[in-house]
Amino acid sequence: MTRVAAIDCGTNSIRLLIADVNGADAGNGAAAPRLADVVREMRVVRLGQGVDATGELAQEALDRTFAATADYAAQIRNYEATSVRFVATSATRDARNRQVFVDGIREILGVEPEVVTGDEEAALSFAGASSVLPSRGQDPVLVVDLGGGSTEFVLGNADGVIAAKSVDIGCVRMTERHLQSDPPTAAQIAAAEADVDAAIDEAARTVPLDRSAAVVGVAGSITTITAHALALPEYSAAAIHGTELSLDAVRQACTELLGMTHAERAALPYMHPGRVDVIGAGALVWRRVLERLAGATDGRVATAVTSEHDILDGIALSIV
């Protein structure tokens, strides 16, 4: 058994997973490796604050991220993880001053942070989501990782990834670019949907959406939308993970969240404070993705599964 630590630093949040990996010698014929959580934690630091407009990481966003990383480093030492991997995604990829971020993380954590490509991010997301879902054999499953700055579309099956594409639509990016009113206006929603449609078109040129036999959604926007659809009395990862809902139920939940005011969203018992201002954009993106997928598959995909396991789990598994 091996104890590893994985950090996923996205546009909106930074997350830590310290886990024991069972079956770590899977490459030698043992069972596939499985993760047993020791610590799983998320903090909203909004590293991507303003990056879409300025092209640079803001100093206050860097300070928030460095502070969270310092706390994570202490936990990694306390729990004696033997291997650490730090992965940064969309906001850092886009930033001209990312070297400041890289240097700061290296000094705090003692490991070199990796600014992964969109394709690498997509493959890690698929590995994390598929590691805990029932096998669908050779039927292609579409995993959608809806982040703060980008969304990854990954089609794969039991043999691994078939095709993947990362596109620049995410809940933080779409909020900053389009949804400034409270609640957003019809014109703002239409402009955001046009952006989302163009991005889905771009993804579909690489990922054959029409081959999808099922869809799995991951990351905080989608898990929060699922919590809303289930009307949970509080956020519960156990209640959310593996939930399969009709596309109609998910679309209704998305429409409700998009139309709420900031105060109405903040009052929801399962809403993380760091998602209140961006969940409307996340709901807009997820609603449009599912509408387009239903059309591409002629209605064959009629439900969506939500997974609490995603790129963070993929990073941990990749260490072995």
Side-chain angles (χ1 to χ4, degrees):
M1 189 164 60
T2 304
R3 179 162 290 181
V4 301
I7 299 176
D8 165 40
C9 186
T11 300
N12 196 44
S13 64
I14 184 169
R15 300 181 299 151
L16 168 69
L17 172 61
I18 300 174
D20 292 327
V21 185
N22 298 293
D25 58 344
N28 296 319
R34 292 283 175 177
L35 300 174
D37 289 10
V38 177
V39 173
R40 189 181 288 264
E41 185 174 329
M42 184 273 289
R43 297 186 186 183
V44 173
V45 293
R46 195 65 58 83
L47 178 62
Q49 171 191 330
V51 168
D52 188 61
T54 67
E56 291 193 348
L57 299 167
Q59 186 58 54
E60 58 267 34
L62 287 166
D63 291 343
R64 293 191 297 266
T65 305
F66 291 158
T69 302
D71 183 66
Y72 286 176
Q75 294 190 59
I76 290 167
R77 289 191 298 271
N78 289 341
Y79 286 100
E80 300 180 337
T82 57
S83 299
V84 182
R85 188 179 183 192
F86 185 111
V87 166
T89 55
S90 178
T92 316
R93 280 197 300 267
D94 293 349
R96 289 189 297 269
N97 62 338
R98 61 181 163 271
Q99 194 59 46
V100 176
F101 168 84
V102 169
D103 293 343
I105 295 297
R106 187 196 306 112
E107 181 177 350
I108 295 166
L109 197 60
V111 300
E112 188 75 13
E114 302 171 54
V115 183
V116 297
T117 67
D119 286 347
E120 290 171 319
E121 182 177 359
L124 289 168
S125 296
F126 184 82
S130 62
S131 69
V132 293
L133 295 171
S135 174
R136 295 177 182 265
Q138 296 305 310
D139 290 339
V141 174
L142 180 70
V143 172
V144 180
D145 183 346
L146 201 172
S150 66
T151 295
E152 284 67 50
F153 293 78
V154 199
L155 189 71
N157 57 21
D159 293 332
V161 174
I162 297 169
K165 182 65 177 178
S166 177
V167 291
D168 285 340
I169 50 171
C171 60
V172 175
R173 193 185 298 269
M174 291 296 100
T175 299
E176 291 185 350
R177 189 180 292 179
H178 295 295
L179 306 185
Q180 288 90 22
S181 297
D182 181 27
T185 66
Q188 290 171 353
I189 291 171
E193 286 183 331
D195 256 11
V196 173
D197 278 342
I200 297 172
D201 289 341
E202 180 184 353
R205 287 191 284 272
T206 301
V207 181
L209 301 181
D210 60 337
R211 291 182 56 188
S212 305
V215 61
V216 178
V218 303
S221 285
I222 292 173
T223 60
T224 302
I225 292 163
T226 302
H228 183 70
L230 295 173
L232 295 181
E234 62 183 5
Y235 191 93
S236 168
I240 293 165
H241 181 62
T243 293
E244 185 170 5
L245 296 170
S246 71
L247 296 193
D248 286 342
V250 179
R251 284 196 295 261
Q252 180 179 341
C254 290
T255 299
E256 290 172 357
L257 287 167
L258 179 58
M260 287 181 179
T261 65
H262 187 280
E264 289 169 338
R265 295 193 298 270
L268 297 172
Y270 39 79
M271 184 68 63
H272 189 286
R275 297 201 188 281
V276 173
D277 61 332
V278 297
I279 189 62
L284 182 150
V285 173
W286 190 220
R287 182 179 70 179
R288 195 64 190 126
V289 167
L290 294 179
E291 288 170 348
R292 292 286 301 274
L293 183 62
T297 61
D298 292 326
R300 185 175 66 253
V301 175
T303 62
V305 176
T306 301
S307 173
E308 282 278 352
H309 297 261
D310 51 25
I311 185 174
L312 187 61
D313 301 75
I315 295 166
L317 289 167
S318 74
I319 297 171
V320 181

